Amino acid sequence: IEGPDLLRCVDIYTGLVLWERALPGVGKLYNNTGHHPGANGTGANYNSVSDGVYVLYGRKCLRLDLETGKTLIEYVLPKGNGTAPELCYINAADDVLILGCDLDTDADSEKRQYEDYISCQRLAVLDRKTGKPLWSIDAEFQFRNNAICVGGGRLYCVDLLSEFEIRRLERRGRKTSGSSRLYALDLQTGKPIWKTDDEVMGTWLSYSDKHDLLFETGRPGRDVLRGEPGGMRALRAADG
């Protein structure tokens, strides 16, 4: 369970607190009592799997021991200009860790706004056991966090240019011409398996292991990001 300054582990049957780990500021982004998309817009900032709890913490990703909450390993992305980037996306699948970051490594985290955490400019895949970087990909526009998913040994992501994204990019002085693209990449190597820019509109991706299908959709509704599209389509995940 995440709080503004901590992660807490409780027994799922009794509610008994098993451990509590102080992480000042870890939940600051979601500490808002107004109408706020929260993790509906940014995706989660931690991921619990069989070998630990992976949590984004500023410019680091921590793997915490499931039994004690102690840090087992710290992951940091390679430094481009001497400063490691702040992390804003996380996923753990198979034997890899997927991290997303902004490329503006000089950005002051205190000045970053909620909208700066809903997408990332670079996706990096690391070996979970060693922290060794395996491959990375940069977006032309932005990889919306909720439009990134994994399945079938592939990583799927939308390089999104929506009206909402256009306003954000223009505020940063970046180009806004072109069209959104949907990628399917080999999870271990990053090699492109297929891609398409045909009517790509999704701000949300999900994968069916049973049917090997990729679902692309938007998420219109209350307390979500502005400009969420309607409609849904299913693609054969192996070839698009």
Side-chain angles (χ1 to χ4, degrees), residues 43-219:
N45 63 342
Y46 73 97
N47 195 236
S48 301
V49 291
S50 60
D51 64 346
V53 181
Y54 293 80
V55 55
L56 299 183
Y57 197 46
R59 301 179 189 274
K60 298 178 181 179
C61 174
L62 310 179
R63 177 156 68 98
L64 307 183
D65 185 87
L66 287 171
E67 302 296 332
T68 66
K70 293 181 178 179
T71 300
L72 298 175
I73 187 172
E74 294 183 356
Y75 306 86
V76 180
L77 293 187
K79 301 177 181 181
N81 62 353
T83 304
E86 187 165 10
L87 303 174
C88 52
Y89 174 81
I90 185 170
N91 199 354
D94 296 343
D95 57 354
V96 302
L97 176 66
I98 305 156
L99 299 175
C101 67
D102 199 331
L103 295 180
D104 184 5
T105 58
D106 294 327
D108 184 349
S109 60
E110 293 299 320
K111 296 180 180 179
R112 288 171 65 87
Q113 300 178 7
Y114 174 82
E115 291 180 354
D116 293 320
Y117 291 92
I118 67 170
S119 57
C120 53
Q121 292 173 277
R122 173 173 292 164
L123 286 173
V125 177
L126 295 77
D127 184 295
R128 257 168 51 194
K129 294 181 180 179
T130 66
K132 177 184 176 182
L134 300 177
W135 60 271
S136 65
I137 182 174
D138 291 354
E140 182 176 355
F141 308 116
Q142 298 283 316
F143 295 125
R144 180 71 71 87
N145 292 349
N146 282 332
I148 305 167
C149 73
V150 173
R154 299 174 288 264
L155 184 148
Y156 313 93
C157 55
V158 174
D159 190 351
L160 183 68
L161 185 64
S162 66
E163 290 185 9
F164 180 79
E165 222 69 32
I166 287 171
R167 291 194 295 271
R168 294 183 63 239
L169 291 170
E170 287 179 342
R171 286 200 301 268
R172 293 183 169 196
R174 295 182 59 195
K175 65 177 183 178
T176 57
S177 62
S179 58
S180 301
R181 298 182 184 90
L182 170 58
Y183 292 93
L185 309 167
D186 184 273
L187 184 59
Q188 298 296 328
T189 67
K191 180 180 178 181
I193 297 173
W194 56 265
K195 65 179 180 179
T196 181
D197 60 0
D198 182 23
E199 298 183 352
V200 175
M201 53 77 187
T203 57
W204 179 273
L205 293 181
S206 57
Y207 172 80
S208 166
D209 183 66
K210 179 178 179 180
H211 301 288
D212 195 34
L213 291 177
L214 181 69
F215 297 93
E216 178 190 7
T217 184
R219 305 182 70 210

Side-chain angles (χ1 to χ4, degrees), residues 19-33:
W19 54 261
E20 188 171 285
R21 174 67 187 275
L23 293 167
V26 69
K28 180 180 178 181
L29 188 65
Y30 308 118
N31 190 16
N32 187 303
T33 57

